[in-house]
Amino acid sequence: MDISQLNPNQQLAVQHPSGPIILVAGAGTGKTTVITQRIAWLIAGRLASPDEILALTFTDKAAAEMEERVDRLLPMGYVDLWIQTFHAFAEKMLKQHALEIGLPKEFKVLDQTATWMLVREHLDRFDLDYYRPLGNPTSFIHALINHFSRCKDETVYPEDYLKYAEGLKLDSDTTGDKEALQQEIDRLNEVANAYHTYQQLLLEKNALDFGDLINYCLQLFQKRPKIRLQYQQQFKYILVDEFQDTNWAQYEMIKLLVGPEQNIMVVGDDDQAIYKFRGASVSNILAFKKDWPKAGEIFLTDNYRSGQTILDTSYNFIQLNNPDRLEFKLRAGQGQGRGKKNLSKKLISHSADAGEVMVKQYATGEDEVRGVLEEILKLKTQSSKVRDKEFDWGKIAILSRNNEQAQKFVRFFRQVGVPHQFVAAKGLYTQEIILNILNYLKLLDNYHESPSLYKIISLPFYNLTHEDIVNLAHLARQKNWSLYYALKNYHGHIQLSAKGATAVAKILNDLDKHKQQSQQQSVSAIVYHWLEDSGYLYWLTIEDTAENKEQLLLLNQLYKKIRTWEDENLGSTIHQFVEYITLELESGEAGKMAQDIEAGPETIKIMTIHGSKGLEFDYVFIVGLVHLRFPSIERGEAIEIPEALIKDTLPEGEAHLQEERRLMYVALTRARKQVFLTWAEDYGGVKKRKPSRFIEELRIKNVELSTPSHELMVGEGSGSGIGIGDLKSAVTHYKLPSKLSFTQLKAFETCPLQYYYAHVIKIPAKGSAVFSFGQTMHQTLQAFFTAVMSRSAGIQGDIFEAKNSKLKTKNLQLSTKNSETPEQNKKPLVTLKELLAMYDDAWQDDWFFSEKNKDEYHKKGLRILKEFYHQIETKIPVPLFLEKGFNVKVGDYTIRGVIDRIDVAENGRWRIMDYKTGKVKEKLSFEDKKQLLIYQLAAQDIFQAETETLMFYYLEDNKPVEFQATSEDLIKVQEWITSTAAELQQSTFQATPGNHCKYCDFKQICPFAQK
C-alpha cells in the first residue's frame, strides 16, 4: 500500500508496528487521514482483517467519514468495519450480551427528553425533601437527570453515595456544625435513593439512557471475563479518535478491550478538548502515559489548513493554559534523552497564504451584523475580480459562543436574502415546515384550534388571498366563532373571491378526509396524506431551490421521529402525538436536528463554535467577543458530585477559563485565510460592553473601528449599494453516496428523477398495504430462523468467529446435520404456535385503507406461514447467515447490500436466498436476476464461497424459484453496475416517464408522471 504522499510523522503513525502509542494531532494536521490510512494499511498488510480492528469516535458523522475514506482505500470487499461511536459500540455489545448481565435483550435507548418525561410521569415515586420542587418541576428534573448522567461518566452508582454518606455519619462525632453535617448526610441519601429510583424506572420500561450504555458495557467486560477475552482476541488493533473527549467510564471500557499485545493508538489534542460540560476528561490524555509508560509518542505538527499567522496567533494564545497542557507536562517530565523539539506542538503551515487575524469593533450589535455582511460582500467582490466564476458562499463561517448570539445573524440574513444555513443541533420544532405539520395535526385533534387553522389557511399552496383571510378572521371575531366555524358558515355573512371559496372548500375537505383516515391509519400516514393531498409536497419539489431542499430535509427528520415514536409504541393516535410534542416542548426540548453541511447548498454557515469542530473554512468570523459572553460565565452543576467520589483527575488551574481558551483556539484554527474577531459596545443593555479579555490575550495589532455603510441592497445592487443576490441563487450541489445499493441503482435506471426524490432530497416514501405486509413477513421469518439458529443443538459457539470461510462452511454443515436428529423431528426447534406469535409481534399496522383490508392481509399472512411451516416441519433448515450485510467492490464502486438468508447445501456450497411477497415468476429474466447476481459476487469476493444456487422464495405461493449464475451473467451484472453508477455520478436527474410511473411512490408530485 502506497503511503508516500504522507509526511514522515504520518507515515510513522500509519506503520507503527505494535504496542501502545499516543498520536498528538494538532488542528489541520490530517489525523483522520492517518487513522483511515492505518486501518487500510493493517488490512492490506494482512496484519488484521476488517473485523479485527476497532475504531471509536464520538459522532455518527465522524464515523461515517472514516468508513467512507477506508472504503476508498481498500481494494477488496468486506463484511463489516468496526468504525463506530462509543455509544453505538456499547449498544451493539449489550444487544448481543444483554442477558449476561441481567438486562432485557430488547431494550430501548432513551434520550434526555424521554428520560425527562419518564421522571415527570413518576415524580411521586421520588421521595424528595431537600430537592423537592416548589414550582414548575421542569428545570429541577433536568438537574437530577444531568447529575445522574455525570455520575455515570465517573462510574459513581447509588451504592457509592450511600457508602460515602455512611462514612460521614461515622465521622459525625467530630467537632463542627452537627446540624449542617446531618443535613448533608440526609441530602446524600436522598440523591442516592433518587438515583436508585431512576434506574429502577428505566429497567421497568426496558430502557437505558446513554450513560447506561457505556456503564453496562463496562460492567459486562468487568464481570464476564470470558466475554472480555473474546473481544480482546477479536480486536487485534484499537484506535480511538478525539481521545481528549473521552470521559472516565469510556476510557475504562477501552482499557478492558486492549489485549496482551497492547495494540492501542489514541489520537487527540488536549488543546481542542471542549466538551467538559458533557463529561469529557482532558486528564485522560495525560493518564494514558501513566497507564502505558512505554507508549510511543508522535506529534503531528505539519498543518495543511491555515496560514502561519493564524497558527502562530493561536499557539501563543493557548500557551496561557500552561502548566496544565500536555506539551508543557511532557517537556517538564521528559527524560531518556528525548529532545525538546520533538515535543513541540507548534504547528507549521503548508499553506501558500500567510493568513491574517484582525479585530473589528462596532458601535452596536446591529452594526456588527451589518458590518460582518459588508466584509463578506467585499470578499465576494475581491474573489470575482480574481476568478471568473461564481463566489462560493460555503467557504465562510460565522461562529458564535451560543445559538442565541447566532440568531441575530440568521434573522438579518434571511431578511435581506443572503445565502445562509443555520447549523444547529436543536430547533427542529421552530422550522417552518415542521410548525405547519404540527399545526395541521393540532387541527385534526381539535378543529377549533383557531391559531393553528389561521397558519394553515395562510399557506401559499392553498391560494387564499390576504383579503379573504382577513375577512374570515374578522367574521370569526365578530360572531365569537372559532375560525373553523367561520370557514364552515361564512355563506350569507361575507363574500369570498371565487378562488377563495374553492380554497376553503379544499381545506375543509382535507380536514374531513384526514380526520376519517386517522381512525384507521397511523400518524405518519396521515401526515403524508396531507402533504400530498394539499399540494404541499408538489409545491416544495416543483422548484429546486436551496430553501426548498432544506425544508424537505427537515421534513424527513420529523417523519423519522414520528415513525420512531410509533415503532416504540409510545402511542398511535394524533391526540397522543400532539400531547407527546407538547410535553417535549414543556421539557425545554426544541427538537434535535441532523444537518450535513457538506451536502450543500453552498451557503454561509452560521453555527456555534462547538458545532464547528472538525470543519474548515477560508474565512471565519468569530462574533460577539465581549466581556461575560466569551469567555462565558462559569455555571456550576446544579447538583455536584462529592469530590471524594470523582475518579477523574481534577484540573489544577482555572478550569472554566482554560476550557473557554480551548474553545477560542478551536474557532481560530478553523480558518484557512482570514479570521475576523468582532464585537460591539452596545447590544441593547444599559451599560456599554467591554471587549473580551481574549482580544487582549491574542495580542492582535490589526484593530479597526468600523461603521457599516447601511447601503446593503437585495438583488444585483444599484448605485453605491452592494449586491447580495437572492437565496434562490445559491448553488445547490448534492453529495452522492460513497456506496450504492441495488435499490438505488435500480431506481436510477428506472427514472433518475425517482432516484433524486428518494435518495437525494429524501422525500419520505408513501407507504402501502403491500409494503407493510412485506415488512411484516420479512421480520417474521427473520425472527423464526434466528430462534432456529440459537436453539440448534449443534451450534454452540459463535459461527461468526471462524477465520477460514471453507472451514466455517464445513463446520456449519456438520452442525446442521447434527441438529436434524429424530429427537428434533419429535420436538421442532420452533413450533408453529411460536411462529404465529412472531407474526403478531412483527405486524406492521400501517397504510391499510380499512379494517377489512387489514383483516384480509392478516389472514393471508397466517395462511402463508402455516403452509410454509408444514413444508419444513419435519426438517427445519438451520441457516448459516441471516440478514448478512456486505460491501463488494465492482470497478471503482462499492455496492452494499443485505442477504436475507444463506443456507449450506450437502456439498458445502452456499444457497443464497431472497424472500419475495408477490406471486411466483416461473421464468426469470436477467433484470429479475440482478439482485441475486450481486449477492453471488459478494459471496465470491468477500467470503471466497462457492455458490450452489441462487433462489427467490415467493411467499404467496410458498414456492422457490432457483437458478445458477453463468460467468456471462456475472460479467453482465458487473458491467451494468459500473455503467449505471458512472451515469449516476454525472446525472442531472432528468425524468424518464413511462409505464413505470403508475408504480412510482412519487407519481402524485412528479410533473412528468404519465397518468
Side-chain angles (χ1 to χ4, degrees):
M1 179 179 167
D2 182 20
I3 58 170
S4 58
Q5 76 281 10
L6 303 181
N7 67 46
N9 276 5
Q10 288 177 329
Q11 290 182 30
L12 278 175
V14 168
Q15 296 178 313
H16 177 69
S18 62
I21 185 168
I22 182 169
L23 180 64
V24 182
T29 58
K31 70 176 179 63
T32 305
T33 297
V34 169
I35 294 171
T36 53
Q37 290 272 3
R38 177 162 175 77
I39 294 171
W41 181 79
L42 289 170
I43 295 170
R46 300 189 182 280
L47 296 171
S49 61
D51 64 342
E52 292 175 331
I53 303 168
L54 174 64
L56 295 173
T57 187
F58 280 88
T59 66
D60 292 327
K61 181 179 180 297
E65 181 185 355
M66 273 201 249
E67 186 168 341
E68 183 177 329
R69 289 204 200 183
V70 173
D71 177 76
R72 288 199 299 263
L73 292 169
L74 292 177
M76 74 294 284
Y78 52 92
V79 179
D80 291 310
L81 291 171
W82 286 77
I83 300 176
Q84 296 182 309
T85 65
F86 277 89
H87 290 101
F89 171 76
E91 184 175 2
K92 188 171 183 176
M93 292 293 99
L94 293 177
K95 289 287 186 186
Q96 185 74 23
H97 303 289
L99 299 179
E100 301 281 353
I101 53 171
L103 291 177
K105 192 171 179 64
E106 300 302 323
F107 62 80
K108 301 188 292 276
V109 181
L110 304 184
D111 61 15
Q112 187 167 26
T113 303
T115 55
W116 181 92
M117 291 181 181
L118 181 66
V119 173
R120 186 183 185 278
E121 183 184 354
H122 298 279
L123 199 54
D124 57 319
R125 288 181 55 178
F126 291 80
D127 186 15
L128 299 172
D129 178 42
Y130 189 96
Y131 287 111
R132 183 175 65 252
L134 299 179
N136 189 319
T138 299
S139 59
F140 150 78
I141 294 174
H142 278 307
L144 269 184
I145 293 170
N146 287 337
H147 180 67
F148 301 151
S149 176
R150 283 288 297 116
C151 286
K152 291 173 185 180
D153 292 342
E154 296 283 342
T155 63
V156 174
Y157 305 115
E159 54 268 28
D160 297 317
Y161 259 111
L162 293 174
K163 185 177 179 181
Y164 176 67
E166 185 63 28
L168 290 180
K169 188 175 182 180
L170 292 172
D171 296 337
S172 61
D173 290 337
T174 58
T175 57
D177 190 336
K178 292 189 176 182
E179 183 179 351
L181 181 61
Q182 186 58 50
Q183 187 180 61
E184 175 65 4
I185 292 170
D186 292 342
R187 183 188 75 85
L188 291 168
N189 280 309
E190 183 173 305
V191 172
N193 290 325
Y195 191 1
H196 176 74
T197 300
Y198 173 72
Q199 291 303 110
Q200 284 297 115
L201 279 172
L202 288 170
L203 291 176
E204 286 170 17
K205 298 291 183 181
N206 284 350
L208 307 180
D209 64 17
F210 287 114
D212 285 331
L213 290 175
I214 303 298
N215 273 242
Y216 283 124
C217 189
L218 174 59
Q219 290 177 39
L220 174 70
F221 295 143
Q222 287 173 333
K223 297 177 180 179
R224 300 293 179 262
K226 181 181 176 182
I227 294 172
R228 180 175 71 242
L229 180 61
Q230 172 188 334
Y231 288 105
Q232 284 179 346
Q233 290 174 342
Q234 176 177 340
F235 299 127
K236 293 181 178 179
Y237 294 88
I238 296 175
L239 299 95
V240 183
D241 186 24
E242 303 289 7
F243 184 63
Q244 76 279 352
D245 294 335
T246 56
N247 60 40
W248 173 270
Q250 288 164 339
Y251 184 35
E252 290 298 299
M253 183 182 76
I254 294 164
K255 286 193 286 188
L256 289 175
L257 285 170
V258 178
E261 294 81 9
Q262 299 186 358
N263 289 327
I264 178 170
M265 172 182 282
V266 299
V267 184
D269 179 10
D270 61 308
D271 290 333
Q272 296 186 73
I274 59 172
Y275 292 112
K276 181 64 179 175
F277 69 91
R278 69 182 189 197
S281 171
V282 68
S283 66
N284 282 347
I285 208 164
L286 300 171
F288 185 84
K289 290 293 296 178
K290 294 179 182 177
D291 293 327
W292 282 283
K294 294 183 180 179
E297 300 163 5
I298 297 178
F299 280 57
L300 298 185
T301 55
D302 289 285
N303 179 283
Y304 300 94
R305 177 189 301 159
S306 307
Q308 193 63 54
T309 300
I310 296 172
L311 297 179
D312 289 345
T313 303
S314 305
Y315 180 70
N316 294 332
F317 169 75
I318 201 60
Q319 287 195 89
L320 294 172
N321 276 357
N322 287 338
D324 291 321
R325 293 175 58 247
L326 176 67
E327 177 186 39
F328 186 91
K329 287 182 179 293
L330 289 178
R331 282 180 176 176
Q334 74 173 346
Q336 300 152 12
R338 288 196 300 256
K340 287 187 178 183
K341 64 179 182 179
N342 294 327
L343 300 179
S344 174
K345 290 181 65 180
K346 181 176 174 63
L347 301 179
I348 308 302
S349 175
H350 287 254
S351 170
D353 199 300
E356 184 179 14
V357 183
M358 64 187 75
V359 177
K360 296 281 184 179
Q361 178 185 342
Y362 298 94
T364 68
E366 181 183 337
D367 283 349
E368 182 183 21
V369 175
R370 300 179 73 93
V372 166
L373 180 53
E374 196 168 85
E375 292 296 331
I376 291 172
L377 296 174
K378 288 177 184 176
L379 295 172
K380 179 180 184 292
T381 303
Q382 293 167 8
S383 176
S384 300
K385 289 177 180 177
V386 175
R387 302 174 187 83
D388 185 22
K389 63 178 184 179
E390 192 165 358
F391 180 64
D392 185 353
W393 300 95
K395 292 182 178 179
I396 297 173
I398 297 173
L399 307 182
S400 64
R401 179 61 183 82
N402 56 47
N403 280 326
E404 183 182 353
Q405 294 171 28
Q407 285 289 355
K408 60 185 179 181
F409 288 90
V410 174
R411 286 191 293 269
F412 184 70
F413 283 23
R414 184 176 297 158
Q415 175 188 339
V416 298
V418 178
H420 72 283
Q421 180 184 5
F422 182 37
V423 185
K426 293 186 176 182
L428 183 67
Y429 300 148
T430 65
Q431 304 303 308
E432 182 182 356
I433 189 170
I434 309 304
L435 287 170
N436 292 337
I437 292 170
L438 295 178
N439 277 319
Y440 194 73
L441 291 175
K442 287 179 184 177
L443 265 184
L444 292 177
D445 186 40
N446 178 7
Y447 283 170
H448 302 290
E449 186 76 32
S450 293
S452 293
L453 182 54
Y454 182 83
K455 294 287 187 183
I456 296 302
I457 67 175
S458 302
L459 292 171
F461 48 82
Y462 273 126
N463 289 318
L464 260 174
T465 66
H466 177 68
E467 184 179 358
D468 285 336
I469 293 171
V470 169
N471 287 337
L472 285 164
H474 179 70
L475 175 64
R477 283 195 301 273
Q478 187 183 49
K479 297 289 187 180
N480 200 26
W481 291 346
S482 70
L483 187 54
Y484 173 77
Y485 198 79
L487 263 67
K488 290 277 285 186
N489 299 281
Y490 74 87
H491 300 282
H493 297 281
I494 60 172
Q495 184 74 31
L496 296 182
S497 65
K499 189 167 67 171
T502 301
V504 167
K506 167 71 173 161
I507 292 167
L508 293 173
N509 180 67
D510 281 352
L511 282 168
D512 289 342
K513 176 183 176 182
H514 300 143
K515 183 67 174 179
Q516 289 179 14
Q517 289 176 330
S518 69
Q519 307 306 312
Q520 305 288 341
Q521 299 188 25
S522 65
V523 177
S524 56
I526 300 306
V527 168
Y528 198 95
H529 288 318
W530 177 60
L531 292 171
E532 193 172 71
D533 294 342
S534 65
Y536 204 162
L537 264 185
Y538 182 81
W539 185 73
L540 285 172
T541 55
I542 193 65
E543 191 177 1
D544 182 19
T545 67
E547 189 174 12
N548 283 354
K549 180 175 182 285
E550 182 182 29
Q551 293 295 298
L552 286 166
L553 291 174
L554 293 169
L555 163 62
N556 193 50
Q557 291 181 51
L558 178 68
Y559 204 77
K560 285 181 179 177
K561 182 176 183 64
I562 297 173
R563 293 294 298 160
T564 300
W565 176 80
E566 292 167 343
D567 291 343
E568 292 180 352
N569 299 315
L570 297 178
S572 59
T573 68
I574 287 172
H575 177 73
Q576 288 170 320
F577 183 71
V578 169
E579 278 196 331
Y580 174 78
I581 294 296
T582 302
L583 270 176
E584 273 207 284
L585 292 169
E586 185 184 329
S587 78
E589 176 59 65
K592 290 182 175 59
M593 295 172 64
Q595 300 185 57
D596 184 359
I597 69 169
E598 295 175 4
E602 292 171 352
T603 57
I604 298 166
K605 310 305 177 191
I606 304 173
M607 64 181 73
T608 65
I609 300 171
H610 281 100
S612 72
K613 180 81 179 292
L615 304 176
E616 55 185 50
F617 306 90
D618 280 1
Y619 309 100
V620 169
F621 292 80
I622 307 173
V623 300
L625 277 168
V626 293
H627 180 55
L628 302 182
R629 278 194 179 179
F630 194 19
S632 65
I633 302 171
E634 181 176 10
R635 291 180 174 84
E637 296 172 6
I639 306 174
E640 293 189 346
I641 305 174
E643 192 170 318
L645 296 180
I646 295 175
K647 300 177 179 68
D648 183 14
T649 303
L650 297 175
E652 299 169 5
E654 299 176 89
H656 176 71
L657 179 59
Q658 289 180 1
E659 175 114 346
E660 293 288 294
R661 282 201 190 103
R662 293 194 293 267
L663 199 56
M664 173 59 86
Y665 179 83
V666 166
L668 291 166
T669 54
R670 299 310 93 198
R672 298 187 190 99
K673 297 180 179 179
Q674 284 181 297
V675 179
F676 299 82
L677 309 174
T678 73
W679 70 285
E681 291 185 332
D682 181 7
Y683 287 99
V686 177
K687 295 182 179 179
K688 286 188 175 183
R689 306 302 291 265
K690 296 179 181 178
S692 163
R693 64 181 287 172
F694 288 167
I695 291 178
E696 182 180 349
E697 290 180 353
L698 283 162
R699 292 178 288 181
I700 308 298
K701 296 179 181 178
N702 189 0
V703 179
E704 180 181 321
L705 179 61
S706 300
T707 303
S709 68
H710 291 264
E711 294 180 344
L712 302 172
M713 306 293 294
V714 178
E716 293 306 311
S718 58
S720 59
I722 303 174
I724 296 173
D726 191 86
L727 177 62
K728 293 180 181 179
S729 69
V731 175
T732 303
H733 68 273
Y734 301 105
K735 184 181 177 184
L736 295 175
S738 60
K739 301 176 184 178
L740 293 163
S741 67
F742 169 76
T743 300
Q744 290 172 313
L745 291 170
K746 186 65 178 172
F748 180 80
E749 181 186 48
T750 302
C751 175
L753 188 56
Q754 182 190 94
Y755 173 87
Y756 170 81
Y757 284 148
H759 301 290
V760 177
I761 57 176
K762 298 179 181 176
I763 298 174
K766 182 177 181 178
S768 66
V770 172
F771 180 78
S772 294
F773 180 68
Q775 288 281 92
T776 296
M777 298 303 290
H778 272 76
Q779 289 181 23
T780 301
L781 291 174
Q782 183 185 355
F784 173 77
F785 281 111
T786 299
V788 167
M789 291 172 69
S790 65
R791 295 180 189 178
S792 175
I795 305 178
Q796 297 295 339
D798 186 351
I799 60 172
F800 298 98
E801 290 180 4
K803 303 303 178 187
N804 183 289
S805 64
K806 290 185 179 178
L807 177 61
K808 183 192 303 181
T809 301
K810 182 180 178 183
N811 287 343
L812 197 89
Q813 185 184 350
L814 292 172
S815 298
T816 306
K817 287 179 178 178
N818 290 338
S819 67
E820 295 166 357
T821 63
E823 175 115 13
Q824 179 196 319
N825 292 338
K826 292 177 186 176
K827 187 178 180 182
L829 291 171
V830 182
T831 65
L832 175 61
K833 183 179 179 180
E834 288 177 307
L835 172 60
L836 298 183
M838 293 170 184
Y839 175 60
D840 286 335
D841 287 341
W843 181 256
Q844 301 282 316
D845 209 25
D846 293 335
W847 296 102
F848 298 100
F849 56 81
S850 69
E851 283 296 325
K852 182 181 177 183
N853 179 244
K854 186 192 301 184
D855 187 55
E856 287 171 350
Y857 269 102
H858 192 269
K859 287 178 179 176
K860 182 166 80 168
L862 289 173
R863 173 188 63 79
I864 289 171
L865 291 172
K866 288 175 182 176
E867 291 176 4
F868 172 81
Y869 189 83
H870 291 317
Q871 287 184 9
I872 64 170
E873 185 174 9
T874 59
K875 192 177 180 182
I876 298 176
V878 182
L880 172 61
F881 293 123
L882 293 174
E883 298 289 319
K884 191 61 179 172
F886 65 83
N887 299 271
V888 64
K889 297 295 181 97
V890 180
D892 295 330
Y893 306 101
T894 300
I895 307 301
R896 59 180 175 81
V898 178
I899 304 172
D900 283 351
R901 179 175 140 200
I902 300 172
D903 290 354
V904 181
E906 292 293 326
N907 58 9
R909 295 184 176 187
W910 283 12
R911 285 198 184 102
I912 298 175
M913 185 183 303
D914 190 75
Y915 298 118
K916 299 294 181 187
T917 49
K919 287 188 171 294
V920 67
K921 283 188 176 183
E922 299 290 356
K923 281 190 78 173
L924 298 176
S925 67
F926 174 72
E927 290 298 314
D928 297 323
K929 295 178 181 179
K930 282 177 180 175
Q931 183 177 4
L932 287 180
L933 292 173
I934 292 173
Y935 292 173
Q936 180 161 336
L937 289 176
Q940 292 176 185
D941 180 53
I942 302 169
F943 303 97
Q944 292 83 50
E946 296 181 12
T947 303
E948 173 74 6
T949 186
L950 303 171
M951 177 195 302
F952 285 119
Y953 192 96
Y954 292 92
L955 291 167
E956 187 154 347
D957 299 291
N958 266 304
K959 187 174 180 180
V961 176
E962 300 182 67
F963 66 95
Q964 292 180 327
T966 65
S967 57
E968 290 79 8
D969 285 336
L970 295 175
I971 292 170
K972 191 174 178 182
V973 80
Q974 290 180 75
E975 290 173 346
W976 172 75
I977 289 168
T978 53
S979 62
T980 307
E983 190 179 346
L984 188 154
Q985 298 283 358
Q986 304 299 320
S987 180
T988 55
F989 308 111
Q990 299 300 308
T992 54
N995 189 53
H996 51 261
C997 290
K998 66 177 71 170
Y999 307 108
C1000 181
D1001 290 330
F1002 310 106
K1003 60 187 175 186
Q1004 298 298 329
I1005 63 170
C1006 178
F1008 307 100
Q1010 287 188 3
K1011 305 300 183 184

